[in-house]
Amino acid sequence: MSMVAVSELQEMYEHMVAARHYEERLQEEYLEGKQPAFDISAGPIPGELHLAAGHEASGAGVCQHLRDDDTVTAPHRPHHVAIAKGVDLERMTAEIFGRETGLSKGKGGHMHLFDPDVNFACSGIIAEGCPPAVGAGLAAKKRNTDSVAVAFLGEGAIDQGAFLESLNLASVQNLPVVFVIEDNDWAISMPKDRVTDVENGAQRAEGFDLPGTRVDSDDAVAVYDAAGEAIGRARDRNGPSLLEVQVHRRMGHFMGDAEGYRSDEDQEAAAQRDSIDRLAGTLRAHDVGGEALEELRERARNRVEGAIEWAKDQPEPDPESAYEDVFSTPPSGVTETAPSAADSGGEDR
Amino acid sequence: MSMVAVSELQEMYEHMVAARHYEERLQEEYLEGKQPAFDISAGPIPGELHLAAGHEASGAGVCQHLRDDDTVTAPHRPHHVAIAKGVDLERMTAEIFGRETGLSKGKGGHMHLFDPDVNFACSGIIAEGCPPAVGAGLAAKKRNTDSVAVAFLGEGAIDQGAFLESLNLASVQNLPVVFVIEDNDWAISMPKDRVTDVENGAQRAEGFDLPGTRVDSDDAVAVYDAAGEAIGRARDRNGPSLLEVQVHRRMGHFMGDAEGYRSDEDQEAAAQRDSIDRLAGTLRAHDVGGEALEELRERARNRVEGAIEWAKDQPEPDPESAYEDVFSTPPSGVTETAPSAADSGGEDR
Amino acid sequence: MTEGETDGGTDRSLTMSRAMVEAIAHEMRESNDVFYMGEDIADYGGIFDSTEGLLDEFGHDRVMDVPISETAYIGAAVGAAQAGMRPIAELMFVDFFGVGMDQIYNQMAKNTYMSGGAVSVPMVLTAAVGGTYNDAAQHSQTLYGTFAHLPGMKVVVPSTAYDAKGLMHNAIRDDDPVVYLFHKRLMGIGWLPAPDGPKTNVPEDEYTIPFGRADIKRDGADVTVVTLGLHVHRALEAAESLADDGIDVEIVDLRTLVPLDTETIRDSVSKTGRLVVVDEDYRSYGVTSEVIASVAEDGLADLDAVERVALPDVPIPYARPLEDEVIPDTDDITTAVHSVLSDE
Amino acid sequence: MTEGETDGGTDRSLTMSRAMVEAIAHEMRESNDVFYMGEDIADYGGIFDSTEGLLDEFGHDRVMDVPISETAYIGAAVGAAQAGMRPIAELMFVDFFGVGMDQIYNQMAKNTYMSGGAVSVPMVLTAAVGGTYNDAAQHSQTLYGTFAHLPGMKVVVPSTAYDAKGLMHNAIRDDDPVVYLFHKRLMGIGWLPAPDGPKTNVPEDEYTIPFGRADIKRDGADVTVVTLGLHVHRALEAAESLADDGIDVEIVDLRTLVPLDTETIRDSVSKTGRLVVVDEDYRSYGVTSEVIASVAEDGLADLDAVERVALPDVPIPYARPLEDEVIPDTDDITTAVHSVLSDE
Ligand SMILES: Cc1ncc(C[n+]2csc(CCOP(=O)(O)OP(=O)(O)O)c2C)c(N)n1
Ligand SMILES: Cc1ncc(C[n+]2csc(CCOP(=O)(O)OP(=O)(O)O)c2C)c(N)n1
Ligand SMILES: [Mg+2]
Ligand SMILES: [Mg+2]
């Protein structure tokens, strides 16, 4: 039996509800102006959008163990993790709407959210966040702190060199890193068995001498427990772990994906196995009543609505700002120190 | 007990002696003019040279099972494999000496030996030959032949994405591919335990659902047996395997490597565990007498001497030929078919 | 255009995607050696419709979804090509080249040379390129210059359905590795509406367009605009409005970057004396640089004025006003044309 | 040169390798955040002496051998840099970039921009470049143009010990990612003898050389030769022999490709009117293209003649007569100088 405190379950529940509501609201906003004919350039949200409805248990269960000084890297489907990690929701939303006050001043968009205050980053290339997470773990080790790094990736990413090499590097250097595979059964249109022979992605760990665990119960508490063990191990300087979590994709790969390749039954089954409902049940079993739950939901929804409202009010970036931030501001790298005649060192050979 | 025929052992022995003698002679030729001060641009052999003395059991034991239509890719230390695979020794040697009649007309050198007659290729980037070997296996499967592909790599290469991704691709497509790790304990100056936590490289297989075996007895017969099983499995369309073979590096990473990072004991121990001596013992136990062995050795040495002599007699390439062969000869890709007005298709929009 | 003169007598108009797929399907029918590998190219039909419909006709064995392992499957294409097959491997976005580049440029592009011609690598590497839909820095690049700089690969960039089909036929038949870069905005995808130009009449018959032959997409006497891909259409649009001002622009569509048709470029510049190079790749060390340098080298005397219009040297930003700022548009081209006219 | 005027008063001459290592050691002493990762850089001291001696002083924790996993450890450097450290990661040969390029250009180079400046990536990526010792197509390239084309990284190419030290100090202190490309033939490695030029007097004190400032390595009035790396020395040699014929060549050593000092180039060309660009990278879509285009763009009127001398667009062959043919030598430079003088 899990030792999780009820207060933690409540926090997780609130994060999960916020994440789900966030995705539902973004879907609405995103599709505005894009119907009936879907034109990606219409509506208030630019670009592609990968929503994580159905993944909430993973973000919440893992991040519940993390502090601000712990690093998280997430892939192209990042919102639920960002919310659980405590990323500034208003500025994140402004970023997604492409506004000047967004986390990245509108330069990054939803696949490139960076919040250094809580050491969160995400990126759009498969498994690309794994090596930087290893690097954050390396920095923690070198600085002799007990902070840890967590890299999230999809089950479709476990065939990519960047992930596999990272397992080895983290293992041989004994770094405080946890890799979390979110298995939602699909990599865009490719089912898992088409791209790997391994049913349990955590099995990859075996070839690299680190522990691997899989949680497939759609149970945020089980995720919390397994993640607690892995993160605790990392914090105690006992090395890296690999964790796979079964989640579900409720909204297509990206907005506009008609999922023609996916059976109705599969979609239906994914919708049924809802870890938010399940966690609500657990909370009720812990004597958290319907009213208390509704209060949590209400708070989560309000936070989301507030962030979206704020974001939509923000100004668009000045076109000229496109030329800024290629390099650090203020500009670095132009220091000149003695000897003053330095610059002509090779002059007359 | 191995079922290997004595005639096969004799062939393997001859290949192994030829390979060893080849490396010893190349070492001599390479160092000519480079002593006492080692200048890489002096002497009859250009460029870097990675010799495989101590690796012979691997090339001979594996390739003994291969036909000309089977594909082999080897890494930067390829000669022993090339010899066992039946690569044209004269033209290979001419290539190493940078001559016009070399396998690649002097363009490739010792890390880029291509002999399409026996489907052999090698290359200088770590693990780079793994994906093309998978491709050769894929071609065999598509064409419904029973040929197989073997990729050789060093133990230092098992941390590289190209290898790890290849394990998965071969496994999920069930391709006739065998990966052979030659474990010589060192990746240039880096000992194995500095770069991976896994003592047995064949353990990598576990994360990808394919069989993995390790042979660490310096016994060519044991290599032959293990390779026979893996290659037989591939030929019978039962999928890929991973095989690791313990070998030894007797001559430094490349010529000129003083091995300052390596202890005398380690060098000594490597020299002791000589699989050629061991195979000679096995042959004697099979009643192949000293004279018969000497005859094999003589033949091997003569072949090597003949190839080196021939190669050194060959002309250097014409400098102008440097501009040829970027693309196929005769030039392809300039076909023009109907409709004849084709070229102006977009003219006047 | 009188139909029948320039398009093989057809009035069947196709999107660039349909034209490209038609060539692939034709070649797959002709030879079992041709097959297609990539992510989401089977049931999905390619994220940018590059394989739409192929699965139905050819099945999963020849229209193969593969793991997200670009190094492994692009390298496998090299191996299969060296074994005599004619694989087509798709990199979903050209921006992902960095995960598989070693196999691309150290094997695919070099093995013919490194083997002294003993082996050849008859494969096609397809990839979607380009921005204009706010997909930000990792999903919007063209990287034309990156591929064109490294020897051993032919680099193809179609701008119309007609060209896309002929160039694809040629790419598959070519015995050398061909990098075939199709611009997402030109494909005619429902959710990413194309401008008017790329949908053209396309003959049903097979035909090839040789590499190394640029196409004059518009004749003109005053200024030469050299460009490719999406920007052919932006340049044509600019030319129309400039024509109203009495400025007569010639538009050279490069169609292939390797080989580069320097002759057509120089002939045009020797006529107009003024050169504008328009590119959606980064400005420095790229396509605009090379086109200008090639003219300066051998036709300096003919050259009265030159301008380049390209992506500035910044990663491609996400928000609409920012992306609009950096990707060259029709106005940028018009301005550059005016500038070379006033420069002298 | 009167010693003391131009080199901080020292007559201590160092190889380029010693000078580079001296700067690294200094910065490692100053800050525990600086560490070095790479293959064979600990006990071996770097295959090309890039870390010779560092292990003894700093130990395996700060001079770290890593697995042959360029993607993983270069990406780890990015992560450590974003966490506030100042890693130096070595790619043993620049030719290997293809196995780790995604981390290099999609993370290291873009994260500052993609985060709107919220994060910075203060790291150095070192790599050995160049040919002249018959290591063939996978171990002889410079790939200057490949890195310079993609925005977000500063690209540094020292040609002397003096420059190597100052540029390395600056690279480590810079808050942005710097790609530091050192030419093997210049390092002063025992088995790969350097020409005379790169071993220079080097002050013991620290000093920085700012990026974006080319260095006139030789003043001249007749022809501008723009070059970098090894070819600075080949150009200087050519200049000496041309001086005997009364031809006065100015030699501009770029030192950094990003930022590119177009001002110094243009000033020189406005003086001489004749431009020769010499590069060891591939000819097309590269450094020579960019330098010529940058002059043509803003200084076309000044430009009377231009030539480029570069590696032809072929992979680098192995045999000595072949490699000698393709890598530009002193004679090639001399010929090009004569050619721009007779061109007009
Ligand atoms: C290297 C690389 N290859 C391909 C892609 C395109 N791509 C984006 S998401 C995706 C599928 C990812 O599947 P998975 O890892 O399971 O994550 P999910 O989308 O299911 O959350 C692909 C192929 C990419 N971004 N990067
Ligand atoms: C991607 C890549 N990284 C680094 C190198 C440089 N390199 C050449 S051989 C070698 C060591 C290889 O060790 P191993 O695989 O064990 O083979 P061995 O030399 O021991 O036979 C290294 C690091 C390379 N060629 N390619
Ligand atoms: Mg998935
Ligand atoms: Mg080894």
Side-chain angles (χ1 to χ4, degrees):
Chain A
M1 250 313 277
S2 175
M3 303 287 287
V4 60
V6 175
S7 63
E8 304 234 40
L9 292 182
Q10 286 173 316
E11 270 178 52
M12 283 160 60
Y13 183 73
E14 192 179 329
H15 282 147
M16 288 168 68
V17 172
R20 175 70 56 83
H21 188 62
Y22 195 67
E23 304 300 58
E24 286 168 352
R25 286 289 291 111
L26 286 188
Q27 178 175 44
E28 251 173 70
E29 296 284 342
Y30 186 81
L31 292 177
E32 201 190 306
K34 292 197 181 74
Q35 277 159 333
F38 187 94
D39 176 348
I40 194 169
S41 303
I45 299 181
E48 283 183 73
L49 191 63
H50 309 85
L51 298 179
H55 283 222
E56 295 84 358
S58 153
V62 172
C63 295
Q64 192 62 29
H65 300 280
L66 299 180
R67 309 183 308 228
D68 286 354
D69 64 325
D70 295 326
T71 295
V72 162
T73 62
H76 56 285
R77 200 180 298 290
H79 304 162
H80 61 304
V81 183
I83 288 173
K85 183 68 170 74
V87 168
D88 183 323
L89 192 63
E90 294 188 339
R91 296 194 58 208
M92 163 170 152
T93 310
E95 185 60 33
I96 295 171
F97 280 83
R99 303 306 165 97
E100 189 183 354
T101 50
L103 284 172
S104 306
K105 305 181 190 161
K107 294 198 166 90
H110 106 105
M111 284 190 277
H112 309 293
L113 302 166
F114 292 83
D115 189 345
D117 289 344
V118 297
N119 290 294
F120 177 89
C122 62
S123 65
I125 310 287
I126 292 302
E128 194 185 50
C130 295
V134 172
L138 182 64
K141 183 179 169 189
K142 286 190 176 301
R143 291 176 156 176
N144 209 13
T145 73
D146 69 345
S147 63
V148 306
V150 178
F152 284 82
L153 59 149
E155 95 295 338
I158 66 170
D159 313 321
Q160 180 72 221
F163 165 62
L164 299 163
E165 291 189 1
S166 294
L167 290 181
N168 182 63
L169 184 57
S171 177
V172 70
Q173 296 269 348
N174 205 45
L175 300 178
V177 183
V178 178
F179 301 91
V180 178
I181 304 168
E182 301 189 301
D183 176 8
N184 65 5
D185 300 330
W186 294 94
I188 311 187
S189 71
M190 303 194 296
K192 193 167 171 173
D193 64 359
R194 191 174 297 166
V195 292
T196 182
D197 264 6
V198 172
E199 260 173 61
N200 169 4
Q203 195 179 324
R204 288 282 195 269
E206 290 174 26
F208 300 93
D209 195 37
L210 66 161
T213 317
R214 180 176 156 87
V215 175
D216 64 4
S217 52
D218 296 275
D219 179 0
V221 180
V223 176
Y224 174 90
D225 287 346
E229 198 175 317
I231 291 167
R233 192 176 128 85
R235 230 185 265 299
D236 296 344
R237 298 167 203 206
N238 292 321
S241 312
L242 175 60
L243 173 63
E244 178 165 276
V245 176
Q246 178 73 55
V247 295
H248 300 283
R249 201 181 77 187
R250 299 168 74 96
M251 290 178 168
H253 173 72
F254 37 33
M255 290 292 90
D257 176 6
E259 296 193 289
Y261 49 83
R262 190 174 178 189
S263 72
D264 292 348
E265 296 76 55
D266 187 75
Q267 275 174 294
E268 195 49 44
Q272 291 306 320
R273 296 183 55 165
D274 189 346
S275 56
I276 298 185
D277 287 351
R278 181 167 177 151
L279 183 57
T282 307
L283 279 161
R284 277 191 294 267
H286 279 83
D287 292 329
V288 181
E291 210 169 304
L293 287 179
E294 181 52 32
E295 205 176 290
L296 291 173
R297 285 196 293 266
E298 186 67 18
R299 206 160 62 199
R301 282 194 296 256
N302 285 343
R303 240 187 102 215
V304 167
E305 293 302 335
I308 291 177
E309 206 171 309
W310 184 83
K312 290 171 73 173
D313 248 16
Q314 299 300 302
E316 296 215 302
D318 176 0
E320 288 300 311
S321 70
Y323 302 99
E324 296 160 10
D325 297 323
V326 179
F327 294 117
S328 302
T329 316
S332 63
V334 287
T335 46
E336 229 169 323
T337 55
S340 65
D343 206 22
S344 49
E347 183 121 358
D348 43 5
R349 229 155 312 95
Chain B
M1 253 309 279
S2 175
M3 302 287 287
V4 60
V6 175
S7 63
E8 304 233 41
L9 292 182
Q10 287 172 315
E11 271 177 51
M12 283 160 58
Y13 184 72
E14 192 178 328
H15 281 147
M16 287 167 68
V17 172
R20 174 71 56 84
H21 188 62
Y22 194 67
E23 304 300 57
E24 286 168 352
R25 286 288 291 111
L26 287 188
Q27 178 175 42
E28 250 173 69
E29 296 284 342
Y30 185 80
L31 292 178
E32 201 189 307
K34 290 197 183 74
Q35 276 157 335
F38 187 94
D39 175 350
I40 194 169
S41 302
I45 299 181
E48 282 183 74
L49 191 64
H50 310 84
L51 298 179
H55 284 222
E56 295 85 359
S58 152
V62 171
C63 294
Q64 193 61 30
H65 300 280
L66 298 179
R67 310 182 309 227
D68 286 355
D69 64 324
D70 295 326
T71 294
V72 163
T73 62
H76 55 285
R77 199 181 299 290
H79 303 160
H80 62 302
V81 183
I83 288 173
K85 184 65 168 73
V87 168
D88 183 322
L89 193 63
E90 294 188 337
R91 295 193 58 209
M92 163 170 152
T93 311
E95 186 60 32
I96 295 170
F97 280 84
R99 303 306 167 98
E100 187 183 356
T101 50
L103 283 171
S104 305
K105 304 182 191 161
K107 294 198 165 89
H110 107 107
M111 283 189 278
H112 309 293
L113 302 165
F114 292 83
D115 190 344
D117 289 345
V118 297
N119 291 293
F120 177 89
C122 62
S123 64
I125 310 287
I126 292 301
E128 194 184 50
C130 295
V134 171
L138 182 64
K141 181 178 171 189
K142 287 192 175 298
R143 289 174 158 177
N144 210 12
T145 73
D146 69 346
S147 62
V148 306
V150 179
F152 285 82
L153 58 147
E155 95 295 337
I158 66 170
D159 313 320
Q160 180 71 224
F163 165 63
L164 299 164
E165 291 189 2
S166 293
L167 289 181
N168 182 63
L169 184 57
S171 177
V172 69
Q173 296 269 348
N174 206 43
L175 300 178
V177 182
V178 178
F179 301 90
V180 179
I181 303 168
E182 301 188 303
D183 176 7
N184 66 4
D185 300 329
W186 293 95
I188 311 186
S189 70
M190 302 194 298
K192 193 167 170 174
D193 64 0
R194 192 174 297 167
V195 293
T196 182
D197 264 5
V198 172
E199 261 172 61
N200 170 3
Q203 195 180 324
R204 288 283 195 269
E206 288 173 28
F208 299 94
D209 195 36
L210 65 160
T213 317
R214 177 175 157 89
V215 175
D216 63 5
S217 53
D218 296 273
D219 179 0
V221 180
V223 176
Y224 174 92
D225 287 346
E229 198 175 315
I231 291 167
R233 192 175 127 86
R235 228 183 267 300
D236 295 345
R237 297 165 204 209
N238 292 322
S241 312
L242 174 60
L243 174 63
E244 177 164 274
V245 177
Q246 178 72 56
V247 295
H248 300 283
R249 202 182 78 186
R250 299 169 73 97
M251 290 179 167
H253 174 71
F254 37 32
M255 290 292 91
D257 176 6
E259 295 193 290
Y261 49 81
R262 192 175 176 188
S263 72
D264 292 348
E265 296 75 55
D266 187 75
Q267 274 174 297
E268 195 48 43
Q272 291 305 321
R273 296 182 57 164
D274 187 347
S275 57
I276 298 186
D277 286 350
R278 180 167 179 149
L279 183 57
T282 308
L283 278 162
R284 278 192 293 269
H286 279 83
D287 292 331
V288 181
E291 211 168 306
L293 286 178
E294 181 50 33
E295 206 175 290
L296 292 173
R297 285 196 293 266
E298 187 67 19
R299 207 158 64 199
R301 282 194 295 255
N302 286 341
R303 242 186 100 215
V304 167
E305 293 302 334
I308 292 177
E309 205 172 311
W310 184 83
K312 290 172 72 173
D313 249 17
Q314 298 301 302
E316 297 216 298
D318 176 1
E320 288 299 311
S321 69
Y323 303 99
E324 296 161 9
D325 297 322
V326 179
F327 294 117
S328 302
T329 318
S332 63
V334 288
T335 46
E336 231 170 323
T337 56
S340 63
D343 206 23
S344 50
E347 185 119 0
D348 43 8
R349 227 159 314 95
Chain C
M1 166 170 96
T2 339
E3 271 149 26
E5 261 176 43
T6 55
D7 57 8
T10 182
D11 59 359
R12 188 186 64 131
S13 102
L14 295 186
T15 61
M16 201 167 100
S17 139
R18 293 302 328 147
M20 172 179 158
V21 171
E22 194 166 88
I24 298 168
H26 179 99
E27 298 294 336
M28 288 183 73
R29 266 172 235 129
E30 292 286 303
S31 165
N32 278 322
D33 286 333
V34 181
F35 64 99
Y36 206 108
M37 281 198 280
E39 294 151 14
D40 305 289
I41 58 90
D43 303 70
Y44 199 105
I47 299 298
F48 300 103
D49 291 359
S50 54
T51 55
E52 190 67 46
L54 290 179
L55 178 67
D56 284 348
E57 182 173 352
F58 300 102
H60 278 109
D61 276 353
R62 295 185 64 198
V63 182
M64 294 171 59
D65 273 346
V66 287
I68 309 175
S69 311
E70 285 80 0
T71 292
Y73 76 77
I74 294 172
V78 174
Q82 287 178 189
M85 302 198 76
R86 294 196 168 254
I88 307 172
E90 177 169 304
L91 183 63
M92 188 189 288
F93 288 71
V94 77
D95 314 67
F96 308 161
F97 87 96
V99 301
M101 191 58 175
D102 183 63
Q103 293 293 325
I104 296 171
Y105 103 111
N106 264 334
Q107 292 272 296
M108 183 186 87
K110 288 182 184 162
N111 278 359
T112 303
Y113 190 83
M114 290 196 299
S115 69
V119 309
S120 66
V121 190
M123 65 176 276
V124 182
L125 178 70
T126 57
V129 305
T132 74
Y133 67 105
N134 308 102
D135 222 3
Q138 295 188 333
H139 292 76
S140 301
Q141 302 163 104
T142 67
L143 299 180
Y144 295 142
T146 298
F147 286 89
H149 178 55
L150 300 166
M153 343 175 221
K154 300 177 182 175
V155 180
V156 174
V157 184
S159 72
T160 68
Y162 184 90
D163 289 353
K165 180 171 170 178
L167 290 166
M168 180 55 87
H169 273 296
N170 214 47
I172 298 172
R173 293 176 195 183
D174 199 298
D175 289 336
D176 294 311
V178 176
V179 179
Y180 185 103
L181 303 173
F182 55 89
H183 199 293
K184 300 160 214 170
R185 180 57 87 185
L186 297 178
M187 291 292 270
I189 303 160
W191 51 272
L192 198 61
D196 272 346
K199 188 167 180 182
T200 62
N201 289 349
V202 176
E204 293 196 42
D205 286 351
E206 46 150 338
Y207 57 94
T208 57
I209 296 178
F211 297 155
R213 249 186 258 171
D215 189 36
I216 310 278
K217 286 280 193 290
R218 186 183 196 282
D219 276 316
D222 298 332
V223 176
T224 299
V225 173
V226 175
T227 185
L228 74 171
L230 171 65
H231 283 75
V232 169
H233 304 286
R234 296 196 167 180
L236 283 164
E237 203 183 304
E240 287 316 307
S241 77
L242 286 159
D244 295 341
D245 297 342
I247 300 169
D248 192 16
V249 173
E250 175 144 311
I251 294 178
V252 179
D253 178 359
L254 291 173
R255 295 205 295 204
T256 65
L257 289 169
V258 179
L260 180 66
D261 184 356
T262 51
E263 202 180 308
T264 298
I265 299 169
R266 281 204 300 263
D267 287 351
S268 179
V269 173
S270 77
K271 179 171 70 175
T272 64
R274 302 178 191 95
L275 173 63
V276 174
V277 192
V278 182
D279 180 25
E280 195 180 327
D281 194 9
Y282 302 114
R283 174 186 184 89
S284 296
Y285 305 90
V287 172
T288 55
S289 334
E290 179 59 28
V291 170
I292 294 170
S294 75
V295 173
E297 238 183 336
D298 291 313
L300 191 58
D302 292 332
L303 196 60
D304 298 322
V306 60
E307 281 285 333
R308 48 178 159 178
V309 181
L311 208 75
D313 296 322
V314 308
I316 302 178
Y318 166 75
R320 290 183 184 128
L322 302 180
E323 198 207 40
D324 286 349
E325 172 66 25
V326 301
I327 298 189
D329 60 18
T330 307
D331 282 349
D332 295 323
I333 301 169
T334 309
T335 307
V337 168
H338 281 299
S339 164
V340 288
L341 283 165
S342 65
D343 240 26
E344 297 139 69
Chain D
M1 164 168 100
T2 335
E3 272 150 24
E5 263 177 44
T6 54
D7 56 9
T10 183
D11 58 359
R12 189 185 64 132
S13 103
L14 295 186
T15 61
M16 201 167 100
S17 138
R18 292 303 330 148
M20 171 179 159
V21 171
E22 193 166 87
I24 298 169
H26 180 99
E27 298 294 336
M28 288 182 73
R29 265 173 235 128
E30 293 285 304
S31 165
N32 278 323
D33 285 334
V34 181
F35 64 99
Y36 206 108
M37 281 198 280
E39 294 152 13
D40 304 289
I41 56 91
D43 303 72
Y44 199 106
I47 298 298
F48 300 103
D49 291 358
S50 54
T51 55
E52 191 65 44
L54 291 179
L55 178 68
D56 284 348
E57 181 172 352
F58 300 103
H60 278 108
D61 275 354
R62 296 185 64 198
V63 182
M64 294 171 59
D65 273 346
V66 289
I68 310 175
S69 309
E70 284 79 1
T71 292
Y73 77 78
I74 294 172
V78 174
Q82 286 177 191
M85 302 198 75
R86 295 197 168 251
I88 307 171
E90 176 170 306
L91 184 63
M92 188 189 290
F93 288 71
V94 77
D95 314 68
F96 307 160
F97 86 96
V99 301
M101 192 58 176
D102 183 63
Q103 293 293 328
I104 296 171
Y105 102 112
N106 264 333
Q107 291 273 298
M108 183 186 87
K110 288 181 183 161
N111 278 0
T112 303
Y113 190 83
M114 291 196 299
S115 69
V119 307
S120 66
V121 190
M123 66 177 276
V124 182
L125 179 70
T126 57
V129 305
T132 74
Y133 66 104
N134 309 102
D135 222 4
Q138 295 187 334
H139 293 76
S140 303
Q141 302 163 103
T142 67
L143 300 178
Y144 296 141
T146 298
F147 286 89
H149 179 53
L150 300 165
M153 340 175 224
K154 301 179 181 174
V155 180
V156 174
V157 184
S159 72
T160 67
Y162 185 90
D163 289 355
K165 180 171 170 177
L167 291 166
M168 179 57 85
H169 273 297
N170 213 46
I172 298 172
R173 294 178 194 182
D174 200 296
D175 289 336
D176 294 312
V178 176
V179 179
Y180 186 103
L181 303 172
F182 55 89
H183 199 294
K184 301 162 214 168
R185 181 55 89 186
L186 298 179
M187 290 292 268
I189 302 160
W191 51 273
L192 199 60
D196 271 346
K199 189 168 178 180
T200 62
N201 288 349
V202 176
E204 291 196 45
D205 286 352
E206 46 151 338
Y207 58 94
T208 58
I209 296 178
F211 297 155
R213 247 185 259 171
D215 188 37
I216 311 277
K217 285 280 193 291
R218 186 184 196 282
D219 276 316
D222 298 333
V223 176
T224 299
V225 174
V226 175
T227 186
L228 74 171
L230 172 65
H231 282 75
V232 169
H233 304 285
R234 296 195 168 183
L236 284 165
E237 201 184 307
E240 288 316 307
S241 76
L242 286 159
D244 296 340
D245 298 344
I247 300 169
D248 192 17
V249 174
E250 176 145 311
I251 295 178
V252 178
D253 178 359
L254 291 173
R255 295 202 298 201
T256 65
L257 288 169
V258 178
L260 180 66
D261 184 357
T262 51
E263 202 181 307
T264 298
I265 300 169
R266 281 203 300 264
D267 286 350
S268 178
V269 173
S270 77
K271 178 171 70 173
T272 65
R274 302 179 190 94
L275 174 62
V276 174
V277 192
V278 182
D279 180 24
E280 195 181 326
D281 193 11
Y282 303 114
R283 173 186 184 89
S284 296
Y285 304 92
V287 172
T288 54
S289 334
E290 179 58 28
V291 170
I292 294 169
S294 75
V295 173
E297 239 183 334
D298 290 312
L300 191 57
D302 292 331
L303 196 61
D304 297 323
V306 60
E307 281 285 331
R308 50 177 156 178
V309 180
L311 208 75
D313 296 322
V314 307
I316 301 178
Y318 167 74
R320 290 185 184 129
L322 302 180
E323 199 209 41
D324 287 348
E325 173 65 25
V326 302
I327 297 189
D329 58 19
T330 307
D331 282 349
D332 296 323
I333 300 170
T334 309
T335 307
V337 168
H338 282 299
S339 165
V340 289
L341 283 164
S342 66
D343 240 28
E344 296 139 67

